[in-house]
Amino acid sequence: MVSLTYEGSALTNATCIGAYEDGTNETIYWFVTSDNVDIIASFNTRTQAVIYHVVSETILNFNSEYLINGIDLIDNLLFFTDNYNQPRRIDVK
């Protein structure tokens, strides 16, 4: 079981609003919003490693009413949209 934390504490009212499976690299990407922070994290099923790619109190501006279902990984760029914010991308390396 994987638990995401922020500054050493469990997230309050955390909700996964999107996920993407990268079968080639055995990695799952999660888009999570909570009362105190928004997170883009990944979990490698082979190594059991969790990586926090983006942790933000303001920049991501996730909203639990807008699910992220437009997600694609091209090379090392993870593209996503939630129809609430502008379409975005992050480099996952």
Side-chain angles (χ1 to χ4, degrees):
M1 180 154 126
V2 176
S3 297
L4 299 177
T5 61
Y6 176 64
E7 295 183 342
S9 300
L11 300 179
T12 306
N13 295 321
T15 303
C16 180
I17 60 171
Y20 179 80
E21 176 191 3
D22 176 7
T24 302
N25 294 307
E26 301 178 43
T27 300
I28 301 168
Y29 293 91
W30 294 307
F31 299 82
V32 178
T33 188
S34 70
D35 288 348
N36 48 340
V37 69
D38 296 326
I39 296 174
I40 300 173
S42 66
F43 175 70
N44 185 290
T45 58
R46 184 177 22 84
T47 65
Q48 305 293 297
V50 175
I51 297 173
Y52 290 78
H53 297 280
V54 180
V55 178
S56 171
E57 295 178 7
T58 58
I59 299 297
L60 290 173
N61 193 35
F62 287 162
N63 184 319
S64 61
E65 300 293 318
Y66 292 86
L67 301 180
I68 298 173
N69 51 26
I71 307 168
D72 202 3
L73 182 65
I74 301 172
D75 295 324
N76 294 329
L77 296 177
L78 186 66
F79 295 85
F80 60 97
T81 185
D82 57 6
N83 292 322
Y84 180 68
N85 296 290
Q86 295 279 344
R88 297 183 259 187
R89 72 176 185 271
I90 63 165
D91 187 336
V92 295
K93 295 292 179 187

